[in-house]
Amino acid sequence: MHPALRAYQAVAETSLSGREAEAACFTMMINELTAAEQDHALRFKALDRHQKLWSLIMKANIVDSGQNPSDDRVLIVNLADKAQRYGIQAILDSALSLQPLIDIAQDVLDGLLAQ
């Protein structure tokens, strides 16, 4: 099981709301990507987790069954697609900065914390 999903489930089983659990996942992803930006040995592991997290988010919004407004789902799926595309480029080009991925995750986290 993916560590971010395991962390998500562990957090979700506590008294945290779903939004708080999602915020915890993005906080962990930001921390891991930031560390990987400084430590090349962590880069592949962080990018692998990044790809898996966004894949889970995309899947959840594709099979949403109408729980979220369609416009929100489209926005999230498009964001996941862009994050994953850049992540693939970063996997293939080790000189590519991880900062755009950190920025995307931070924007999502800010949105989660604002509501």
Side-chain angles (χ1 to χ4, degrees), residues 9 11 47 61 63 79 97 99 101 105-106 111:
Q9 288 175 338
V11 172
L47 286 169
N61 281 279
V63 296
L79 183 60
S97 172
Q99 191 59 49
L101 300 177
Q106 186 64 55

Side-chain angles (χ1 to χ4, degrees), residues 29-106:
M29 182 53 55
I30 291 165
N31 292 339
E32 190 166 354
L33 288 169
T34 301
E37 185 84 316
Q38 305 304 319
D39 183 347
H40 195 67
L42 298 175
R43 185 180 176 94
F44 182 76
K45 184 177 178 180
L47 286 169
D48 180 56
R49 288 185 181 179
H50 171 269
Q51 296 299 96
K52 288 177 182 173
L53 177 63
W54 278 110
S55 180
L56 291 169
I57 291 167
M58 185 180 283
K59 182 179 178 184
N61 281 279
I62 289 171
V63 296
D64 181 72
S65 302
Q67 294 179 359
N68 290 316
S70 179
D71 290 346
D72 290 348
R73 290 177 39 226
V74 168
L75 177 66
I76 293 168
V77 169
N78 284 332
L79 183 60
D81 179 58
K82 288 181 171 114
Q84 286 184 301
R85 285 176 189 259
Y86 189 89
I88 290 167
Q89 291 175 334
I91 289 168
L92 297 173
D93 182 357
S94 61
L96 205 57
S97 172
L98 300 182
Q99 191 59 49
L101 300 177
I102 295 166
D103 292 343
I104 290 170
Q106 186 64 55

Side-chain angles (χ1 to χ4, degrees), residues 9-29:
Q9 288 175 338
V11 172
E13 292 172 0
T14 67
S15 62
L16 294 177
S17 71
R19 187 170 290 280
E20 291 169 325
E22 291 168 350
C25 286
F26 277 97
T27 299
M28 290 179 354
M29 182 53 55

